[in-house]
Amino acid sequence: MGVTYNIMFSQRGMMMAAHTPGQMETATRIANAMQLNGVDGRLMSGTEAQNLFPLLNTSEGARYKCMGGVWQGRGGVARHDAVAWGYARAASDLGVDIIENCMVEDLIIQDGRIAGVETNRGTIRADRVGVTAAGATPGIVALAGAELPILNYALQAFVSEPVKPCLDAVLLYLGTGTYVHQSDKGELVFGGGIDRVPTHGQRGNLPAQEAIIAGLLEMFPPFGQLKMLRQWAGVVDVVPDSSPVIGPVGPEGLYINCGWGTGGFKAIPAGGWLLAHLIANGEHHEISRPFDLDRFVTGRLIDEAAGSGISH
Ligand SMILES: Cc1cc2nc3c(=O)[nH]c(=O)nc-3n(C[C@H](O)[C@H](O)[C@H](O)COP(=O)(O)OP(=O)(O)OC[C@H]3O[C@@H](n4cnc5c(N)ncnc54)[C@H](O)[C@@H]3O)c2cc1C
């Protein structure tokens, strides 16, 4: 990258915790899959987890008593804004024009192929167009008569008041989907799965909030004393098989890269590179080929719900 930003993880690792024998089996499979793919994840015992997270609920009546889980010592939380700005600066240095506050309002199609876009700031002509508008992608490609199997859901996040350091690794509970880490400022940042009902509203609903907060307090009862500072929701674009869609759509020269759901931050560097390959060459890279829209015609779906549903 052309500019150095602080995107370092401030946590000393990440754990996916299990509280039933069935989840321990899932954790074992995840750790094995990681190792088979050269990733240094490993199984962690319940005792190790309790040493690492001393505030974990170990009481007799604990509903989600930690039995152990998967540990990845290089995992943590990257600063998403720093990453996005780092990419933007580097792209700008390489000669990419970035036009801010510019909304695509229509597609220009001539002789059956894409010829550009109409925006609120004027016309941009191009013989190849990539649409990476997440939940707005279906609406944009609909301008060319194409339909996408994508639904939008709210995904919420929460921040508590700041407290002294008490959690120096990221914890995600397999059973509840609730995850939590402590920010450099001392706030607890936590969240969980998507809201149940599809929506375009960026608010989030109370039942999901209750489930996520209940999960957090079962894990760490002392956090119940904290005040919550803020909560927000973003809209995530979800595909039925929970995998992204990368490939051509509609008129010749139009491409999409969307459907990243709750896991697109970590995946977009690779996804963006694959879209660039597709636009430059007019054909898939072998990695993006299975993610083409045609999988909904051939039936070769890529069911990644377990991997991408709530993986933060
Ligand atoms: C609360 C929350 C927590 C999350 N946590 C994680 C996490 O821990 N790890 C992880 O990997 N992912 C996480 N995600 C998911 C991640 O943010 C998304 O998967 C990712 O941002 C998708 O990237 P994208 O580039 O496809 O779309 P986006 O980042 O949504 O970008 C789409 C862009 O298109 C623009 N746009 C829309 N319509 C138009 C138009 N008509 N014309 C021009 N531009 C348009 C939008 O303004 C936007 O800038 C989280 C999401 C939320 C909401």
Side-chain angles (χ1 to χ4, degrees):
M1 282 185 196
V3 180
T4 308
Y5 283 88
N6 174 17
I7 60 164
M8 299 300 291
F9 298 158
S10 49
Q11 289 75 28
R12 64 162 157 152
M14 175 167 183
M15 182 184 189
M16 251 188 252
H19 67 89
T20 64
Q23 284 168 20
M24 271 311 277
E25 195 183 323
T26 305
T28 309
R29 292 177 65 161
I30 292 172
N32 286 346
M34 287 166 99
Q35 286 176 10
L36 284 173
N37 284 287
V39 179
D40 50 350
R42 68 172 178 85
L43 213 56
M44 182 180 257
S45 71
T47 311
E48 272 184 290
Q50 277 149 27
N51 290 336
L52 192 65
F53 301 100
L55 293 178
L56 261 181
N57 190 356
T58 54
S59 67
E60 205 45 47
R63 198 162 150 214
Y64 303 129
K65 210 165 185 170
C66 180
M67 295 183 73
V70 188
W71 173 249
Q72 216 285 321
R74 287 180 302 110
V77 175
R79 285 185 51 207
H80 54 282
D81 49 347
V83 172
W85 279 108
Y87 269 97
R89 292 284 181 102
S92 181
D93 287 350
L94 289 168
V96 175
D97 285 326
I98 300 173
I99 307 169
E100 294 180 78
N101 300 316
C102 181
M103 183 175 177
V104 171
E105 294 177 331
D106 206 356
L107 301 174
I108 306 170
I109 299 161
Q110 282 167 358
D111 303 325
R113 62 165 300 137
I114 197 85
V117 293
E118 296 290 357
T119 78
N120 59 343
R121 302 186 60 183
T123 304
I124 301 172
R125 313 256 344 154
D127 61 0
R128 291 180 194 188
V129 170
V131 184
T132 59
T137 309
I140 294 176
V141 303
L143 297 167
E147 278 185 61
L148 295 180
I150 289 179
L151 284 177
N152 288 336
Y153 290 87
L155 179 66
Q156 309 190 45
F158 308 82
V159 174
S160 78
E161 63 179 315
V163 286
K164 294 265 186 198
C166 60
L167 195 64
D168 63 357
V170 185
L171 185 67
L172 163 74
Y173 245 68
L174 280 172
T176 61
T178 302
Y179 65 89
V180 59
H181 76 273
Q182 189 170 25
S183 76
D184 292 342
K185 286 185 281 183
E187 300 155 334
L188 295 171
V189 182
F190 59 99
I194 54 177
D195 281 20
R196 282 173 182 244
V197 183
T199 178
H200 291 270
Q202 300 190 12
R203 285 185 305 275
N205 292 304
L206 283 170
Q209 290 172 17
E210 191 179 11
I212 292 165
I213 293 169
L216 178 75
L217 300 190
E218 279 290 345
M219 277 151 59
F220 296 109
F223 292 171
Q225 297 168 38
L226 300 179
K227 291 194 176 72
M228 201 152 81
L229 278 194
R230 56 185 184 276
Q231 164 277 350
W232 72 96
V235 170
V236 293
D237 45 337
V238 177
V239 184
D241 64 355
S242 301
S243 288
V245 183
I246 304 174
V249 67
E252 208 184 325
L254 185 62
Y255 304 96
I256 49 170
N257 180 1
C258 59
W260 288 94
T262 64
F265 169 70
K266 60 188 149 298
I268 286 298
W273 193 89
L274 293 169
L275 179 68
H277 178 98
L278 183 62
I279 294 176
N281 297 290
E283 55 189 53
H284 273 291
H285 186 280
E286 60 175 308
I287 294 176
S288 64
R289 181 72 196 83
F291 296 93
D292 194 281
L293 198 54
D294 68 4
R295 71 180 189 266
F296 294 97
V297 177
T298 61
R300 296 177 68 88
L301 302 180
I302 309 165
D303 188 353
E304 281 290 338
S308 63
I310 44 167
S311 52
H312 292 272

